Amino acid sequence: GDVGRRSIVRPTEEGWLCGTGCLAARFGGRKTSVNPNYVAEYVGSAAAQSWLADNAVGGTMPNLNTGILASLPVWMPSKAEQDRIVSTLYDVRQVFIALEILVAKKQAIKQGMMQELLTGRTRLPGFTSPWNERSLGAVARIKTGSRNNQDKKAGGRYPFFVRSATVERIDYFSYDCEAILVPGEGGIGSIFHYINGKFEVQVFPASALGNEQQINQALPLATIDMIYTGVAFAGASYKP
């Protein structure tokens, strides 16, 4: 499973059981020369994680055994230096926790301000004219792409926006403009991209466009360019 997970067993966990899916590294009398917290930090390092991943057994799910874990190479400084490293990493971690709390508070302030300003509940000085509600399709042209995810190319010349937070690269572009991009499925409401320049967009899955009636209704709005439909549906919007 997740071979990178690890935890320190402290006196407060005395009497707890180690499950069959876990491996326990016990230090006993060696704690005079080994700080278990240092070992735990080292096991979580990139070097140790890479070694464990390379030496894990199993096809579909990587697994460790006592022999593999015992063979893990660990760089061991003196006990005094281990203690200092653990203390330093703890201090750094506390700084990051404090920063995360501060960022969360500022994010909450930002969200509150956005809610006030973008709904008109709070007006900026000098502006009193009324707001009017319009659909996004009335102020912007909603389009989709023409490329599949398989068309991406590492190191390509242009950004390739797919249905994820990751922006891929590609050697083609269909658009050269200013645009906001959101996924049509998955990650809806949580992924937003802004660009002003040349880019490509992944094709929107037909199943996500809606049923036949909804697709037909989208054609005169120019949110899609071409459809394959029956005479009855087409005749309702385009009279002879």
Side-chain angles (χ1 to χ4, degrees), residues 68-158:
I68 294 174
L69 188 60
S71 299
L72 172 67
V74 181
W75 288 93
M76 299 292 296
S78 67
K79 176 65 162 48
E81 191 169 358
Q82 293 176 45
D83 295 342
R84 180 65 63 85
I85 290 173
V86 169
S87 177
T88 300
L89 291 176
Y90 174 82
D91 292 341
V92 170
R93 192 170 290 113
Q94 294 304 115
V95 170
F96 275 103
I97 291 174
L99 287 174
E100 289 174 352
I101 294 174
L102 180 61
V103 168
K105 288 182 178 179
K106 291 189 174 182
Q107 185 67 23
I109 294 173
K110 174 189 173 184
Q111 290 295 329
M113 184 178 296
M114 289 175 60
Q115 184 68 19
E116 290 295 314
L117 292 176
L118 297 179
T119 58
R121 288 204 295 255
T122 297
R123 305 295 299 275
L124 293 174
F127 295 91
T128 58
S129 59
W131 288 27
N132 60 83
E133 182 178 315
R134 303 178 67 183
S135 68
L136 183 58
V139 297
R141 190 177 184 190
I142 313 299
K143 301 284 290 183
T144 183
S146 59
R147 301 287 179 178
N148 292 312
N149 191 49
Q150 293 85 344
D151 296 327
K152 64 186 178 184
K153 180 180 179 182
R157 298 176 60 189
Y158 306 105

Side-chain angles (χ1 to χ4, degrees), residues 2-20:
D2 189 352
V3 298
R5 297 183 64 183
R6 77 277 184 205
S7 181
I8 290 287
V9 179
R10 306 182 189 281
T12 52
E13 286 85 43
E14 182 179 355
W16 289 26
L17 299 177
C18 178
T20 55

Side-chain angles (χ1 to χ4, degrees), residues 149-208:
N149 191 49
Q150 293 85 344
D151 296 327
K152 64 186 178 184
K153 180 180 179 182
R157 298 176 60 189
Y158 306 105
F160 180 28
F161 296 96
V162 298
R163 296 189 297 273
S164 76
T166 302
V167 179
E168 305 289 352
R169 305 295 297 184
I170 197 170
D171 278 336
Y172 317 97
F173 74 91
S174 297
Y175 301 99
D176 185 2
C177 60
E178 185 177 24
I180 298 170
L181 299 107
V182 297
E185 63 177 9
I188 296 175
S190 62
I191 300 175
F192 302 92
H193 298 290
Y194 167 83
I195 189 171
N196 189 358
K198 298 179 175 68
F199 62 95
E200 186 56 86
V201 184
Q202 184 179 7
V203 64
F204 201 69
S207 60

Side-chain angles (χ1 to χ4, degrees), residues 16-31:
W16 289 26
L17 299 177
C18 178
T20 55
C22 299
L23 299 174
R26 304 175 64 184
F27 298 93
R30 299 184 182 88
K31 285 196 289 185

